[in-house]
């Protein structure tokens, strides 16, 4: 790995890894108000990268951020695949698939955690160019056609039973408390935690975190840094973290 990349990766890891995040460098081709406690946590810790690297131009995009038309700002699963963090299994990965005209959404599998993880965001460094950074291929941890069919059918048709997440034997699973939380509709999660009444407007129960207003000190063109990360069409909704 390039020395510059290794040093930056280490600095970002020093900021995030003690809190359960993983960091994977990759070269991009081009390169709201929060009420969910998990999103607040992600916003806080990702925001600290800017604080710890003030000399760099940095743009942080969280997985939950959307444009005014509700399209996501990044394709998180695509980013994870390109970075080598997790393999993004899609219908095209199944030869002679059995689904006919049915719409089949793809899903990422982590080599150590299976489906028991979430892709929380992307950190863009527009001022850093490392043409020699080699791509990292994700580990194909669901290699057979039969297992891929089982994975995609479990994700698309039976996601509520959590079993698709075990397509790869995980080192660790969500606790029962985590499963109960993520199974709760988002509008009811604060109430489930005792932080708001069921009828209370969630927006009044949580402070505003100006996550999307973080800007570099100097103007810069990030259109080249976003490129393929910005979807041309909204992907199907994911059933949960």
């Amino acid at each position: 790995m390039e020395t510059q990349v290794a040093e930056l990766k280490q600095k970002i890891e020093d900021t995030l890894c003690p809190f359960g995040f993983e960091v994977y460098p990759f070269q991009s081709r081009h390169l709201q108000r929060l009420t969910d406690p998990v999103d607040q946590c992600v916003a806080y810790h990702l925001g600290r990268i800017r604080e710890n690297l003030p000399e760099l131009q940095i743009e942080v995009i969280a997985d939950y951020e959307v444009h005014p038309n509700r399209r996501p700002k990044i394709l998180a699963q695509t980013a994870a695949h390109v970075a080598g963090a997790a393999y993004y299994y899609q219908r095209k990965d199944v030869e002679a698939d059995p689904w006919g005209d049915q719409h089949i959404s793809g899903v990422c599998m982590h080599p150590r955690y299976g489906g028991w993880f979430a892709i929380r965001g992307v950190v863009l460094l527009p001022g850093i160019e490392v043409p020699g950074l080699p791509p990292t291929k994700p580990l194909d941890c669901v290699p057979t056609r039969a297992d891929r069919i089982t994975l995609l059918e479990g994700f698309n048709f039976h996601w509520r039973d959590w079993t698709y997440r075990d397509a790869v034997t995980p080192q660790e699973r969500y606790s029962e408390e985590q499963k109960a939380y993520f199974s709760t509709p988002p509008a009811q999660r604060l109430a489930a935690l005792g932080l708001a009444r069921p009828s209370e407007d969630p927006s009044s129960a949580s402070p505003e975190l100006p996550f999307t207003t973080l800007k570099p000190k100097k103007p810069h063109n990030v259109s080249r840094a976003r490129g393929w990360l910005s979807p041309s069409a909204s992907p199907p909704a994911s059933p949960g973290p």
Side-chain angles (χ1 to χ4, degrees), residues 137-178:
K137 292 185 178 181
L139 180 63
D140 183 1
C141 46
V142 186
T144 71
R145 177 179 182 273
D147 287 343
R148 291 179 180 182
I149 289 174
T150 299
L151 167 63
L152 291 173
E153 289 187 346
F155 177 68
N156 282 270
F157 308 133
H158 310 291
W159 57 268
R160 290 183 184 276
D161 67 12
W162 303 89
T163 56
Y164 81 86
R165 299 176 186 264
D166 287 332
V168 173
T169 302
Q171 292 183 0
E172 186 177 0
R173 294 182 176 88
Y174 292 171
S175 66
E176 291 304 315
E177 290 83 359
Q178 285 175 290

Short mmCIF file of all heavy atoms in Angstrom, two decimals, residues 137-178:
data_model
loop_
_atom_site.label_atom_id
_atom_site.label_comp_id
_atom_site.label_asym_id
_atom_site.label_seq_id
_atom_site.Cartn_x
_atom_site.Cartn_y
_atom_site.Cartn_z
N LYS A 137 -10.06 -6.61 -4.21
CA LYS A 137 -11.24 -7.40 -4.52
C LYS A 137 -11.85 -7.95 -3.24
O LYS A 137 -11.14 -8.45 -2.36
CB LYS A 137 -10.88 -8.56 -5.45
CG LYS A 137 -10.47 -8.12 -6.85
CD LYS A 137 -10.25 -9.34 -7.75
CE LYS A 137 -9.89 -8.91 -9.17
NZ LYS A 137 -9.68 -10.09 -10.07
N PRO A 138 -13.17 -7.86 -3.11
CA PRO A 138 -13.81 -8.43 -1.92
C PRO A 138 -13.75 -9.95 -1.96
O PRO A 138 -13.71 -10.56 -3.03
CB PRO A 138 -15.25 -7.93 -2.02
CG PRO A 138 -15.48 -7.74 -3.48
CD PRO A 138 -14.16 -7.27 -4.04
N LEU A 139 -13.74 -10.56 -0.79
CA LEU A 139 -13.69 -12.02 -0.71
C LEU A 139 -15.05 -12.60 -1.08
O LEU A 139 -16.08 -12.24 -0.51
CB LEU A 139 -13.32 -12.44 0.72
CG LEU A 139 -13.23 -13.95 0.97
CD1 LEU A 139 -12.12 -14.55 0.12
CD2 LEU A 139 -12.98 -14.22 2.45
N ASP A 140 -15.05 -13.50 -2.04
CA ASP A 140 -16.28 -14.19 -2.46
C ASP A 140 -16.58 -15.27 -1.42
O ASP A 140 -16.11 -16.40 -1.53
CB ASP A 140 -16.11 -14.79 -3.85
CG ASP A 140 -17.37 -15.47 -4.36
OD1 ASP A 140 -18.39 -15.46 -3.64
OD2 ASP A 140 -17.33 -16.01 -5.49
N CYS A 141 -17.37 -14.90 -0.42
CA CYS A 141 -17.61 -15.81 0.70
C CYS A 141 -18.89 -16.63 0.53
O CYS A 141 -19.21 -17.46 1.39
CB CYS A 141 -17.64 -15.04 2.02
SG CYS A 141 -18.60 -13.52 1.99
N VAL A 142 -19.62 -16.42 -0.57
CA VAL A 142 -20.78 -17.26 -0.91
C VAL A 142 -20.57 -17.73 -2.34
O VAL A 142 -21.19 -17.23 -3.28
CB VAL A 142 -22.11 -16.49 -0.77
CG1 VAL A 142 -23.31 -17.43 -0.97
CG2 VAL A 142 -22.20 -15.81 0.60
N PRO A 143 -19.67 -18.69 -2.56
CA PRO A 143 -19.19 -18.98 -3.92
C PRO A 143 -20.11 -19.84 -4.78
O PRO A 143 -19.98 -19.83 -6.00
CB PRO A 143 -17.86 -19.70 -3.67
CG PRO A 143 -18.04 -20.35 -2.33
CD PRO A 143 -18.91 -19.43 -1.53
N THR A 144 -21.03 -20.62 -4.19
CA THR A 144 -21.79 -21.55 -5.01
C THR A 144 -23.12 -20.95 -5.47
O THR A 144 -23.70 -20.09 -4.80
CB THR A 144 -22.08 -22.85 -4.24
OG1 THR A 144 -23.03 -22.59 -3.20
CG2 THR A 144 -20.80 -23.42 -3.64
N ARG A 145 -23.58 -21.42 -6.60
CA ARG A 145 -24.85 -20.93 -7.14
C ARG A 145 -26.00 -21.19 -6.18
O ARG A 145 -26.84 -20.31 -5.93
CB ARG A 145 -25.13 -21.62 -8.49
CG ARG A 145 -26.47 -21.23 -9.12
CD ARG A 145 -26.66 -21.93 -10.46
NE ARG A 145 -27.92 -21.54 -11.10
CZ ARG A 145 -29.09 -22.14 -10.86
NH1 ARG A 145 -29.14 -23.16 -10.00
NH2 ARG A 145 -30.19 -21.73 -11.47
N ALA A 146 -26.06 -22.39 -5.61
CA ALA A 146 -27.16 -22.73 -4.71
C ALA A 146 -27.18 -21.82 -3.49
O ALA A 146 -28.24 -21.35 -3.06
CB ALA A 146 -27.04 -24.19 -4.27
N ASP A 147 -26.01 -21.57 -2.92
CA ASP A 147 -25.96 -20.71 -1.74
C ASP A 147 -26.30 -19.26 -2.07
O ASP A 147 -26.90 -18.55 -1.26
CB ASP A 147 -24.57 -20.79 -1.10
CG ASP A 147 -24.34 -22.11 -0.39
OD1 ASP A 147 -25.33 -22.82 -0.10
OD2 ASP A 147 -23.16 -22.44 -0.12
N ARG A 148 -25.94 -18.81 -3.27
CA ARG A 148 -26.29 -17.45 -3.67
C ARG A 148 -27.80 -17.31 -3.86
O ARG A 148 -28.39 -16.29 -3.51
CB ARG A 148 -25.54 -17.08 -4.95
CG ARG A 148 -24.04 -16.92 -4.75
CD ARG A 148 -23.33 -16.58 -6.05
NE ARG A 148 -21.88 -16.43 -5.83
CZ ARG A 148 -21.02 -16.11 -6.78
NH1 ARG A 148 -21.45 -15.92 -8.04
NH2 ARG A 148 -19.73 -15.99 -6.51
N ILE A 149 -28.41 -18.34 -4.42
CA ILE A 149 -29.87 -18.32 -4.57
C ILE A 149 -30.53 -18.26 -3.20
O ILE A 149 -31.46 -17.46 -2.95
CB ILE A 149 -30.35 -19.55 -5.36
CG1 ILE A 149 -29.93 -19.44 -6.82
CG2 ILE A 149 -31.87 -19.71 -5.25
CD1 ILE A 149 -30.24 -20.68 -7.65
N THR A 150 -30.05 -19.09 -2.27
CA THR A 150 -30.61 -19.09 -0.92
C THR A 150 -30.43 -17.73 -0.26
O THR A 150 -31.36 -17.21 0.40
CB THR A 150 -29.93 -20.18 -0.06
OG1 THR A 150 -30.17 -21.45 -0.65
CG2 THR A 150 -30.46 -20.18 1.36
N LEU A 151 -29.26 -17.12 -0.43
CA LEU A 151 -28.99 -15.81 0.16
C LEU A 151 -29.93 -14.76 -0.40
O LEU A 151 -30.59 -14.02 0.36
CB LEU A 151 -27.54 -15.41 -0.12
CG LEU A 151 -27.17 -13.95 0.13
CD1 LEU A 151 -27.34 -13.61 1.60
CD2 LEU A 151 -25.75 -13.66 -0.35
N LEU A 152 -30.03 -14.66 -1.72
CA LEU A 152 -30.84 -13.61 -2.32
C LEU A 152 -32.33 -13.82 -2.07
O LEU A 152 -33.08 -12.86 -1.87
CB LEU A 152 -30.55 -13.52 -3.82
CG LEU A 152 -29.15 -12.99 -4.17
CD1 LEU A 152 -28.89 -13.10 -5.68
CD2 LEU A 152 -28.99 -11.55 -3.71
N GLU A 153 -32.77 -15.07 -2.05
CA GLU A 153 -34.18 -15.32 -1.74
C GLU A 153 -34.47 -15.01 -0.27
O GLU A 153 -35.52 -14.45 0.06
CB GLU A 153 -34.54 -16.77 -2.06
CG GLU A 153 -34.59 -17.04 -3.56
CD GLU A 153 -35.12 -18.43 -3.90
OE1 GLU A 153 -35.20 -19.28 -2.99
OE2 GLU A 153 -35.44 -18.65 -5.09
N GLY A 154 -33.53 -15.34 0.60
CA GLY A 154 -33.72 -15.01 2.01
C GLY A 154 -33.77 -13.52 2.23
O GLY A 154 -34.61 -13.02 3.00
N PHE A 155 -32.90 -12.78 1.55
CA PHE A 155 -32.87 -11.32 1.71
C PHE A 155 -34.13 -10.67 1.15
O PHE A 155 -34.68 -9.74 1.75
CB PHE A 155 -31.64 -10.76 1.02
CG PHE A 155 -31.55 -9.26 1.06
CD1 PHE A 155 -31.32 -8.59 2.26
CD2 PHE A 155 -31.67 -8.51 -0.09
CE1 PHE A 155 -31.24 -7.20 2.29
CE2 PHE A 155 -31.59 -7.13 -0.07
CZ PHE A 155 -31.37 -6.47 1.13
N ASN A 156 -34.59 -11.14 0.00
CA ASN A 156 -35.72 -10.50 -0.67
C ASN A 156 -37.08 -10.93 -0.14
O ASN A 156 -38.01 -10.12 -0.10
CB ASN A 156 -35.65 -10.77 -2.18
CG ASN A 156 -34.63 -9.90 -2.88
OD1 ASN A 156 -34.94 -8.80 -3.33
ND2 ASN A 156 -33.39 -10.36 -2.96
N PHE A 157 -37.21 -12.18 0.28
CA PHE A 157 -38.53 -12.71 0.61
C PHE A 157 -38.72 -13.06 2.09
O PHE A 157 -39.86 -13.17 2.55
CB PHE A 157 -38.81 -13.97 -0.23
CG PHE A 157 -38.61 -13.76 -1.71
CD1 PHE A 157 -37.88 -14.68 -2.46
CD2 PHE A 157 -39.13 -12.64 -2.36
CE1 PHE A 157 -37.68 -14.49 -3.83
CE2 PHE A 157 -38.93 -12.45 -3.73
CZ PHE A 157 -38.21 -13.37 -4.46
N HIS A 158 -37.63 -13.23 2.83
CA HIS A 158 -37.77 -13.68 4.22
C HIS A 158 -36.84 -12.89 5.15
O HIS A 158 -36.38 -13.43 6.15
CB HIS A 158 -37.45 -15.18 4.33
CG HIS A 158 -38.16 -16.03 3.33
ND1 HIS A 158 -39.52 -16.25 3.36
CD2 HIS A 158 -37.69 -16.71 2.24
CE1 HIS A 158 -39.86 -17.04 2.35
NE2 HIS A 158 -38.78 -17.32 1.65
N TRP A 159 -36.61 -11.62 4.83
CA TRP A 159 -35.61 -10.87 5.58
C TRP A 159 -35.99 -10.68 7.04
O TRP A 159 -35.12 -10.49 7.90
CB TRP A 159 -35.36 -9.52 4.92
CG TRP A 159 -36.57 -8.65 4.74
CD1 TRP A 159 -37.39 -8.61 3.65
CD2 TRP A 159 -37.09 -7.71 5.67
NE1 TRP A 159 -38.39 -7.69 3.83
CE2 TRP A 159 -38.23 -7.12 5.07
CE3 TRP A 159 -36.71 -7.30 6.95
CZ2 TRP A 159 -39.00 -6.14 5.71
CZ3 TRP A 159 -37.48 -6.33 7.59
CH2 TRP A 159 -38.60 -5.76 6.97
N ARG A 160 -37.27 -10.75 7.36
CA ARG A 160 -37.67 -10.53 8.75
C ARG A 160 -37.19 -11.62 9.70
O ARG A 160 -37.12 -11.39 10.91
CB ARG A 160 -39.20 -10.41 8.85
CG ARG A 160 -39.76 -9.13 8.23
CD ARG A 160 -41.26 -9.05 8.43
NE ARG A 160 -41.84 -7.90 7.76
CZ ARG A 160 -41.88 -6.67 8.28
NH1 ARG A 160 -41.38 -6.45 9.48
NH2 ARG A 160 -42.42 -5.67 7.60
N ASP A 161 -36.88 -12.80 9.17
CA ASP A 161 -36.45 -13.88 10.08
C ASP A 161 -34.94 -13.88 10.32
O ASP A 161 -34.43 -14.74 11.04
CB ASP A 161 -36.92 -15.25 9.57
CG ASP A 161 -36.24 -15.67 8.25
OD1 ASP A 161 -35.24 -15.03 7.85
OD2 ASP A 161 -36.72 -16.64 7.64
N TRP A 162 -34.21 -12.94 9.71
CA TRP A 162 -32.79 -12.71 9.96
C TRP A 162 -31.88 -13.81 9.40
O TRP A 162 -30.66 -13.67 9.44
CB TRP A 162 -32.49 -12.59 11.47
CG TRP A 162 -33.24 -11.51 12.17
CD1 TRP A 162 -34.47 -11.63 12.75
CD2 TRP A 162 -32.84 -10.14 12.37
NE1 TRP A 162 -34.85 -10.43 13.31
CE2 TRP A 162 -33.87 -9.51 13.10
CE3 TRP A 162 -31.69 -9.42 12.05
CZ2 TRP A 162 -33.80 -8.17 13.47
CZ3 TRP A 162 -31.63 -8.09 12.43
CH2 TRP A 162 -32.66 -7.47 13.12
N THR A 163 -32.42 -14.89 8.87
CA THR A 163 -31.58 -16.05 8.53
C THR A 163 -30.64 -15.78 7.36
O THR A 163 -29.56 -16.41 7.29
CB THR A 163 -32.45 -17.28 8.21
OG1 THR A 163 -33.36 -16.94 7.16
CG2 THR A 163 -33.23 -17.71 9.44
N TYR A 164 -30.98 -14.88 6.46
CA TYR A 164 -30.09 -14.63 5.32
C TYR A 164 -28.73 -14.11 5.80
O TYR A 164 -27.71 -14.31 5.13
CB TYR A 164 -30.72 -13.62 4.35
CG TYR A 164 -30.59 -12.18 4.75
CD1 TYR A 164 -29.45 -11.44 4.41
CD2 TYR A 164 -31.58 -11.54 5.50
CE1 TYR A 164 -29.33 -10.11 4.79
CE2 TYR A 164 -31.46 -10.23 5.89
CZ TYR A 164 -30.33 -9.52 5.53
OH TYR A 164 -30.21 -8.20 5.93
N ARG A 165 -28.71 -13.49 6.96
CA ARG A 165 -27.46 -12.94 7.49
C ARG A 165 -26.45 -14.04 7.85
O ARG A 165 -25.26 -13.76 8.01
CB ARG A 165 -27.75 -12.06 8.71
CG ARG A 165 -28.65 -10.86 8.39
CD ARG A 165 -28.99 -10.08 9.65
NE ARG A 165 -29.96 -9.03 9.40
CZ ARG A 165 -29.66 -7.74 9.16
NH1 ARG A 165 -28.39 -7.37 9.13
NH2 ARG A 165 -30.61 -6.85 8.96
N ASP A 166 -26.93 -15.27 7.98
CA ASP A 166 -26.06 -16.40 8.33
C ASP A 166 -25.58 -17.16 7.10
O ASP A 166 -25.10 -18.29 7.22
CB ASP A 166 -26.79 -17.35 9.28
CG ASP A 166 -26.92 -16.78 10.68
OD1 ASP A 166 -26.06 -15.98 11.08
OD2 ASP A 166 -27.89 -17.14 11.38
N ALA A 167 -25.71 -16.55 5.91
CA ALA A 167 -25.19 -17.19 4.70
C ALA A 167 -23.70 -17.44 4.83
O ALA A 167 -23.15 -18.37 4.23
CB ALA A 167 -25.49 -16.33 3.47
N VAL A 168 -23.03 -16.60 5.61
CA VAL A 168 -21.64 -16.81 6.02
C VAL A 168 -21.66 -16.96 7.53
O VAL A 168 -22.27 -16.15 8.24
CB VAL A 168 -20.75 -15.61 5.63
CG1 VAL A 168 -19.35 -15.76 6.21
CG2 VAL A 168 -20.69 -15.47 4.12
N THR A 169 -21.04 -18.01 8.05
CA THR A 169 -21.03 -18.22 9.50
C THR A 169 -20.32 -17.04 10.16
O THR A 169 -19.14 -16.82 9.94
CB THR A 169 -20.31 -19.52 9.87
OG1 THR A 169 -20.96 -20.61 9.22
CG2 THR A 169 -20.33 -19.74 11.37
N PRO A 170 -21.04 -16.26 10.98
CA PRO A 170 -20.46 -15.03 11.51
C PRO A 170 -19.65 -15.26 12.78
O PRO A 170 -19.92 -16.18 13.55
CB PRO A 170 -21.69 -14.17 11.81
CG PRO A 170 -22.74 -15.18 12.18
CD PRO A 170 -22.47 -16.40 11.33
N GLN A 171 -18.67 -14.41 12.98
CA GLN A 171 -17.94 -14.42 14.23
C GLN A 171 -18.78 -13.85 15.36
O GLN A 171 -18.57 -14.16 16.53
CB GLN A 171 -16.64 -13.60 14.10
CG GLN A 171 -15.60 -14.22 13.19
CD GLN A 171 -14.31 -13.41 13.16
OE1 GLN A 171 -14.19 -12.39 13.83
NE2 GLN A 171 -13.35 -13.88 12.37
N GLU A 172 -19.73 -13.00 14.99
CA GLU A 172 -20.55 -12.34 15.99
C GLU A 172 -21.88 -11.94 15.35
O GLU A 172 -21.92 -11.55 14.19
CB GLU A 172 -19.83 -11.10 16.54
CG GLU A 172 -20.52 -10.43 17.70
CD GLU A 172 -19.71 -9.25 18.23
OE1 GLU A 172 -18.62 -8.99 17.67
OE2 GLU A 172 -20.16 -8.61 19.19
N ARG A 173 -22.96 -12.05 16.12
CA ARG A 173 -24.28 -11.63 15.64
C ARG A 173 -24.80 -10.47 16.48
O ARG A 173 -24.28 -10.18 17.56
CB ARG A 173 -25.29 -12.80 15.73
CG ARG A 173 -24.99 -13.97 14.81
CD ARG A 173 -26.07 -15.04 14.96
NE ARG A 173 -25.88 -16.15 14.03
CZ ARG A 173 -25.12 -17.21 14.29
NH1 ARG A 173 -24.48 -17.30 15.46
NH2 ARG A 173 -24.99 -18.17 13.39
N TYR A 174 -25.85 -9.83 15.98
CA TYR A 174 -26.51 -8.81 16.78
C TYR A 174 -27.08 -9.45 18.05
O TYR A 174 -27.53 -10.60 18.03
CB TYR A 174 -27.67 -8.18 16.02
CG TYR A 174 -27.28 -7.33 14.83
CD1 TYR A 174 -28.25 -6.85 13.95
CD2 TYR A 174 -25.95 -6.98 14.58
CE1 TYR A 174 -27.92 -6.07 12.87
CE2 TYR A 174 -25.60 -6.20 13.49
CZ TYR A 174 -26.59 -5.75 12.64
OH TYR A 174 -26.26 -4.98 11.56
N SER A 175 -27.10 -8.69 19.12
CA SER A 175 -27.75 -9.15 20.35
C SER A 175 -29.26 -9.13 20.15
O SER A 175 -29.79 -8.55 19.19
CB SER A 175 -27.37 -8.24 21.51
OG SER A 175 -27.93 -6.93 21.32
N GLU A 176 -29.98 -9.76 21.06
CA GLU A 176 -31.44 -9.74 20.98
C GLU A 176 -31.96 -8.31 21.10
O GLU A 176 -32.97 -7.96 20.48
CB GLU A 176 -32.04 -10.63 22.07
CG GLU A 176 -31.79 -12.11 21.86
CD GLU A 176 -32.29 -12.61 20.51
OE1 GLU A 176 -33.43 -12.26 20.13
OE2 GLU A 176 -31.55 -13.34 19.83
N GLU A 177 -31.28 -7.48 21.89
CA GLU A 177 -31.69 -6.09 22.03
C GLU A 177 -31.52 -5.34 20.70
O GLU A 177 -32.38 -4.55 20.31
CB GLU A 177 -30.87 -5.39 23.13
CG GLU A 177 -31.19 -5.86 24.53
CD GLU A 177 -30.45 -7.14 24.92
OE1 GLU A 177 -29.70 -7.69 24.07
OE2 GLU A 177 -30.62 -7.58 26.06
N GLN A 178 -30.41 -5.60 20.01
CA GLN A 178 -30.20 -4.97 18.71
C GLN A 178 -31.26 -5.41 17.71
O GLN A 178 -31.81 -4.60 16.95
CB GLN A 178 -28.81 -5.31 18.17
CG GLN A 178 -27.67 -4.58 18.84
CD GLN A 178 -26.34 -5.08 18.33
OE1 GLN A 178 -25.93 -6.21 18.61
NE2 GLN A 178 -25.62 -4.24 17.59
#
